[in-house]
Amino acid sequence: RSRGARRLRWAAAMDRDFGSKPGSAGVASHAAQAVDRKERLRQLAMQTMDISKDPYLLRNHLGSYECKLCLTLHNNEGNYLAHTQGKRHQENVGRRMAREARDNPVLPLARTKKVALRKTVKIGRPGYQVTKQMEQETQQRSLLFEIEYPEIEEGLQPRHRFMSAYEQKVDAPDKDFQYVLFAAEPYETIAFKVPNIEVDKSEGKFQTNWDKEAKTFSVQMFFKLPLGSGSSAPPRPPGPPPPPSE
């Protein structure tokens, strides 16, 4: 009888320990395996994820963590990270991405022509002449620029533009001055320092001309008068005399 009892106890122990390592506490149940797997996923997520960049994380006023995608509540950060590695969260992320791809299709990029950069060998600065003038009627100061481009490339026309003193990097910025630039290939771009006064763009006050025969580009500009110094328009003729008194 004692020998039969020992055999029964030995068979029960073999059934309990089947599949477990020697010296262990036996085979883990399904619940224990799930807990262990969840803990390993949490550790992996904490090492690989930056929770501050998670778009679905919401911290509420109670200190808990909410998943805005799955509408779940979690007590701590580790529990939330373990949730993000689970099947439910992953499926919801996939559905969300598929819906966004369907609602916002990516249009094919338009084919753009690549513009080849011009590699022109500069031949130096052009010749120029600057004339200062003053209109007698309006007392407006003006400048006449005449730039010579005898070797300008065929089919090109010189260009000009104004530049702020704070835009250039050659001189120390001075709010009282601005620059006017002239450019034409294959010559170097040249700049002139002029007073920082508003240029009069009214009719006849700002003129440009490109003489194709003489290869000379001219620009004439008038500066507006400062406030308080009178109008830039010419003075009107005096009115009729008052009637004689009786």
Side-chain angles (χ1 to χ4, degrees), residues 25-38:
V27 178
S29 63
H30 291 289
Q33 291 179 0
V35 171
D36 181 67
R37 179 177 177 275
K38 192 173 183 180

Side-chain angles (χ1 to χ4, degrees), residues 26-124:
V27 178
S29 63
H30 291 289
Q33 291 179 0
V35 171
D36 181 67
R37 179 177 177 275
K38 192 173 183 180
E39 177 63 20
R40 285 188 281 109
L41 290 176
R42 185 183 71 85
Q43 294 291 340
L44 178 63
M46 293 183 66
Q47 296 175 4
T48 58
M49 290 182 57
D50 186 358
I51 195 171
S52 62
K53 298 180 180 179
D54 192 332
Y56 307 118
L57 173 64
L58 175 65
R59 293 185 177 90
N60 58 24
H61 64 285
L62 299 177
S64 301
Y65 296 81
E66 296 182 17
C67 177
K68 296 186 293 183
L69 181 63
C70 304
L71 303 179
T72 54
L73 183 64
H74 307 275
N75 296 328
N76 51 57
E77 181 177 316
N79 193 354
Y80 173 79
L81 289 174
H83 162 74
T84 61
Q85 304 301 309
K87 180 180 180 181
R88 177 182 178 183
H89 185 83
Q90 296 294 333
E91 289 180 350
N92 289 337
V93 171
R95 295 192 189 99
R96 179 71 174 269
M97 294 178 64
R99 184 170 63 252
E100 291 180 352
R102 183 181 66 253
D103 297 340
N104 302 307
V106 179
L107 298 177
L109 297 177
R111 293 184 178 180
T112 57
K113 295 182 179 180
K114 294 184 178 180
V115 180
L117 298 177
R118 295 175 60 89
K119 297 182 179 180
T120 306
V121 179
K122 302 296 182 179
I123 62 174

Side-chain angles (χ1 to χ4, degrees), residues 3-31:
R3 183 178 301 175
R6 285 197 300 270
R7 288 181 178 178
L8 290 176
R9 288 197 298 269
W10 179 79
M14 289 296 293
D15 291 340
R16 184 186 68 242
D17 298 339
F18 179 78
S20 62
K21 294 181 179 180
S24 63
V27 178
S29 63
H30 291 289

